[in-house]
Amino acid sequence: MNDAHESTERSPAPGAPAATQPAVVPPAGPPPDRPGAPAPAADGKPTGPGSAEQKSGLMRDHDFRMLFSAAVVSKVGTHIGYIALPLVAIETLDASAGQVGVLGMLSTVAFLLIGLPAGAWVDRMHYRRTMITADVVRAVLLGSVPLAALFDALTITQLYAVVLLNGCATVFFDVAAQSCLPGLVGRDRLVAANAQLNSWDAALQAGGRGGGGFLVQALTAPVAVLANALGFVSSALLLGRISKQEIPPERDRRKTLWAEVGEGVRFVAGHTVLRPVALAGSCTNLSVFTITTMVPVVFRDELDLPLWAVGLFLSIGGIGVFAGALTARRVGDRLGPGRAPWILGMCTVPFALTVPLVDRGWLLGAAAGAWLLVTFRMGVDNVLLVSFRQRVTPGPLLGRMNATIRFLFTGALAVGGGIAAVVGEYASPRAALWVGAVGLAGAWLPVFLSPLRTMRTLPDQ
């Protein structure tokens, strides 16, 4: 769902993707003084995605290492917050189920409220400064929670405000983070960079929330929220150590904010490959969220399985995304980065349709194995498709493109939750699983019906 991490976009459930696309070597790279252009190697050796230098040198790059460390620290804090903030409401304020539900809604609504204009705003700013500012804002907001709890002054209204404003800051951070990567590592290293970032994001999805629950139990929920705030402080400090000077993208200052927003939407809608990629990612997010919303209901009410079985099943999705992100570059090299998404999508159709057959006994294992393979495909897509989005989009449009895609993906999550609620209520929870599975089985079709179908490599901008 995510983009993720896309995700690093916020992923409401393990295994949810944030689709996007792969990087390729253009016939002639952009000049080195243009933002995002890789400088040629001093010794004249090739530095394309297939070279040994590209495959092994990223973590030796100081600036990428700082960005990577900041992303990991920030994500650890975020996953702690997913568990800690609702538990603060329950334990400290004795919140009702409805109030906890409002907290969950407010944590995702920011992308729908400000996602599109945020992309235009980010394109007017320095990306790294935007990320640092967002980290500081999030640290202050979350730090106010344990402080208020210490003086017995915490209210549910404050928690609502913290969650909503924290979500708004996350919108700016996430859009800026995806937009700054091409200029930081060079467009020829995007697949390798996104593989590193997405694999760790998926690993933290699989284990981070369980670790957050342990931390809450060991330290109390308000102290766990303080740890979350300190994670954002650490992220800001690490980002401040990036030495590469960022060249702000050029833009037409005569255009209004909404004219720039429209330009980003039209760019995505009119691009021959971005459009099907956006459709495929939205379909995947909708389908996955429909399934993950109903899995706990089916496991508890129909199969009478313990709650730990629900967590284990969903964690398998995080493991699948992690494995897919780790192997995405090799899969792209073998099948071609343009062809890999639809080939894997077609191959996993039978497994997607196995998930709704989940039952006690051997069918439980079969459904879990099928879920692992389906989410493996999502992990591959996350790396290849995100990298492509970043590669084909001109620098001045990166923020708006990323915001448009994230807006669509977040909207798909909301639609998926609505479908799960309606079908689960008026048909059955298992029927909702079938709706999600059919959607997953066909999510690769927009990519197959696009020019990607025959591409072993992808065009540059």
Side-chain angles (χ1 to χ4, degrees):
M1 263 166 305
N2 102 125
D3 192 357
H5 180 170
E6 151 31 224
S7 34
T8 72
E9 43 245 32
R10 175 196 184 297
S11 298
T20 350
Q21 198 129 355
V24 282
V25 186
D33 58 346
R34 198 179 84 190
D43 58 4
K45 293 178 181 178
T47 58
S51 71
E53 181 179 349
Q54 293 296 318
K55 292 181 178 180
S56 64
L58 256 182
M59 292 307 292
R60 294 197 299 269
D61 183 321
H62 171 269
D63 288 345
F64 177 76
R65 197 165 61 247
M66 291 301 100
L67 178 67
F68 174 82
S69 301
V72 170
V73 170
S74 177
K75 285 293 182 182
V76 168
T78 297
H79 288 297
I80 292 172
Y82 289 157
I83 299 295
L85 284 169
L87 289 178
V88 167
I90 294 168
E91 294 182 355
T92 306
L93 301 176
D94 196 25
S96 67
Q99 289 172 322
V100 174
V102 171
L103 280 176
M105 178 195 71
L106 291 174
S107 69
T108 59
V109 76
F111 252 109
L112 296 178
L113 292 178
I114 65 167
L116 290 177
W121 281 322
V122 167
D123 276 339
R124 299 179 177 194
M125 306 172 187
H126 285 78
Y127 298 137
R128 186 158 54 93
R129 291 179 191 171
T130 302
M131 295 163 67
I132 293 172
T133 302
D135 271 338
V136 172
V137 169
R138 291 188 289 185
V140 171
L141 288 168
L142 293 170
S144 73
V145 173
L147 184 63
L150 179 65
F151 291 99
D152 199 24
L154 185 65
T155 65
I156 191 66
T157 302
Q158 179 183 343
L159 272 188
Y160 287 160
V162 166
V163 170
L164 177 61
L165 295 175
N166 182 71
C168 292
T170 299
V171 169
F172 282 92
F173 183 94
D174 287 353
V175 171
Q178 285 198 342
S179 302
C180 83
L181 192 61
L184 189 70
V185 303
R187 294 177 185 262
D188 60 333
R189 296 197 294 177
L190 281 172
V191 172
N194 280 309
Q196 292 275 10
L197 292 167
N198 278 277
S199 60
W200 274 91
D201 187 23
L204 291 171
Q205 281 188 38
R209 298 184 191 186
F214 175 79
L215 192 61
V216 168
Q217 186 172 353
L219 301 178
T220 75
V223 177
V225 174
L226 178 60
N228 189 358
L230 293 176
F232 290 130
V233 171
S234 301
S235 174
L237 293 174
L238 288 164
L239 290 170
R241 294 185 61 192
I242 294 176
S243 59
K244 185 170 185 177
Q245 294 299 311
E246 182 179 317
I247 302 174
E250 297 179 2
R251 70 180 188 88
D252 186 349
R253 296 184 180 274
R254 296 171 297 178
K255 291 181 179 178
T256 65
L257 175 70
W258 288 107
E260 292 184 342
V261 169
E263 189 176 13
V265 172
R266 287 192 298 274
F267 176 75
V268 173
H271 198 284
T272 55
V273 180
L274 281 181
R275 181 176 61 251
V277 164
L279 289 172
S282 298
C283 183
T284 300
N285 274 14
L286 183 154
S287 304
V288 167
F289 202 52
T290 301
I291 290 173
T292 55
T293 300
M294 283 294 108
V295 160
V297 181
V298 171
F299 274 44
R300 184 195 63 190
D301 295 347
E302 188 176 325
L303 304 181
D304 196 26
L305 291 170
L307 291 179
W308 63 262
V310 178
L312 180 61
F313 185 89
L314 295 178
S315 293
I316 286 172
I319 294 169
V321 175
F322 175 66
L326 277 181
T327 58
R329 187 173 56 190
R330 289 192 290 274
V331 172
D333 289 343
R334 178 66 62 88
L335 300 177
R339 301 168 65 211
W342 71 261
I343 291 175
L344 291 181
M346 182 175 60
C347 291
T348 55
V349 167
F351 303 107
L353 298 176
T354 300
V355 173
L357 298 175
V358 63
D359 206 337
R360 284 180 167 274
W362 69 271
L363 279 174
L364 179 60
W371 187 239
L372 178 70
L373 292 172
V374 170
T375 54
F376 171 85
R377 186 264 293 178
M378 297 176 201
V380 174
D381 284 0
N382 283 354
V383 172
L384 296 182
L385 301 178
V386 168
S387 303
F388 171 66
R389 277 191 349 220
Q390 293 165 332
R391 181 158 183 105
V392 302
T393 303
L397 278 168
L398 276 168
R400 282 165 285 172
M401 177 278 295
N402 283 316
T404 300
I405 295 287
R406 299 291 290 276
F407 178 84
L408 292 172
F409 289 175
T410 306
L413 297 178
V415 173
I419 289 174
V422 172
V423 177
E425 178 69 22
Y426 293 102
S428 71
R430 190 174 289 272
L433 292 186
W434 277 108
V435 171
V438 170
L440 275 180
W444 56 278
L445 287 173
V447 174
F448 177 76
L449 297 174
S450 77
L452 283 170
R453 182 176 67 251
T454 56
M455 290 185 184
R456 293 195 65 90
T457 59
L458 295 167
D460 201 3
Q461 293 179 12

